[in-house]
Amino acid sequence: KQEVTQIPAALSVPEGENLVLNCSFTDSAIYNLQWFRQDPGKGLTSLLLIQSSQREQTSGRLNASLDKSSGRSTLYIAASQPGDSATYLCATNAGNNRKLIWGLGTSLAVNP
Amino acid sequence: EPEVTQTPSHQVTQMGQEVILRCVPISNHLYFYWYRQILGQKVEFLVSFYNNEISEKSEIFDDQFSVERPDGSNFTLKIRSTKLEDSAMYFCASSASGSSPLHFGNGTRLTVT
């Protein structure tokens, strides 16, 4: 049964820092892995999707990597800004995109 | 940019009552989903829907739950007889294909008293 773990649970950094969020999963037979952002009381915004055949995806200041064999993904945020403050969730699946298994998230606070 | 819309944003109901949560997916999307998040816990998959039928459901999605796409735009989740433990944020999502990113709505916070 797929289990997804995210560390750290919470992170507080000063503005401008580069940071790395970690996601690990127990079953390497995944279809893809997605990173989401959740703002308080809001929905889930898809940030990056990495297909199982890919190693990384980039969007602006965000870069997500995937190492299936070790069951890990990282989300790198460059030059963090206060507007990046949110909870970041990773989710993956096995065999199809229909049933995502989620981590508990990393709560990020970027301080001005 | 097109978005998934959910109504209401907050619903309070008494235990044993029926509730219907409503969603309007992105118009050209073909796959529809419901997820829920109990406060402080992980997001959990409930059900996926494609081609007018359920394609997959979780153990949570028992006989008390049902989904429907009554017309070309709405996608609903019905809970027949709510329990206290059904209190959660319910998220609707849609995707263009089985391999494309999911787009989520802002959720409906359901409070069962």
Side-chain angles (χ1 to χ4, degrees):
Chain A
K1 182 184 170 187
Q2 181 74 279
E3 294 282 343
V4 178
T5 305
Q6 290 186 249
I7 53 170
L11 185 62
S12 180
V13 300
E15 183 177 3
E17 256 196 29
N18 302 324
L19 55 101
V20 174
L21 308 181
N22 297 290
C23 172
S24 60
F25 46 94
T26 54
D27 185 348
S28 61
I30 63 170
Y31 189 69
N32 61 40
L33 186 139
Q34 300 179 51
W35 282 92
F36 293 85
R37 170 184 173 138
Q38 184 175 30
D39 292 279
K42 299 286 188 182
L44 302 154
T45 302
S46 180
L47 298 173
L48 291 164
L49 181 150
I50 313 176
Q51 301 287 356
S52 62
S53 57
Q54 297 174 319
R55 296 284 292 183
E56 65 178 340
Q57 282 286 329
T58 299
S59 175
R61 293 183 293 108
L62 305 180
N63 175 277
S65 68
L66 175 64
D67 183 344
K68 271 179 55 178
S69 60
S70 67
R72 291 181 186 178
S73 176
T74 61
L75 180 66
Y76 175 82
I77 303 177
S80 57
Q81 302 169 357
D84 294 331
S85 298
T87 296
Y88 291 81
L89 299 154
C90 71
T92 187
N93 47 37
N96 60 63
N97 195 35
R98 292 191 286 272
K99 179 180 176 180
L100 291 177
I101 307 298
W102 298 74
L104 197 48
T106 293
S107 176
L108 173 66
V110 181
N111 306 305
Chain B
E1 185 177 325
E3 56 182 30
V4 175
T5 56
Q6 289 186 244
T7 54
S9 56
H10 191 188
Q11 171 115 31
V12 181
T13 188
Q14 288 190 327
M15 197 166 52
Q17 295 296 305
E18 173 183 287
V19 294
I20 297 176
L21 309 183
R22 302 182 191 279
C23 170
V24 179
I26 294 174
S27 62
N28 62 345
H29 283 186
L30 301 176
Y31 293 78
F32 314 111
Y33 315 83
W34 283 101
Y35 284 80
R36 78 172 185 189
Q37 186 178 32
I38 296 170
L39 191 63
Q41 298 186 23
K42 293 181 178 182
V43 177
E44 301 172 289
F45 169 81
L46 293 178
V47 66
S48 60
F49 192 87
Y50 170 72
N51 201 26
N52 285 320
E53 61 182 24
I54 291 173
S55 47
E56 192 164 359
K57 61 183 181 179
S58 71
E59 318 77 58
I60 303 167
F61 195 88
D62 61 20
D63 291 344
Q64 292 299 312
F65 291 87
S66 62
V67 289
E68 196 177 33
R69 188 155 163 80
D71 51 43
S73 60
N74 289 285
F75 180 52
T76 62
L77 174 70
K78 183 193 291 186
I79 309 175
R80 257 179 275 283
S81 177
T82 50
K83 308 185 202 60
L84 294 175
E85 54 265 37
D86 293 328
S87 295
M89 182 76 92
Y90 287 80
F91 293 106
C92 173
S94 67
S95 64
S97 73
S99 60
S100 53
L102 271 64
H103 294 257
F104 283 82
N106 281 342
T108 293
R109 179 166 297 286
L110 176 65
T111 303
V112 182
T113 61

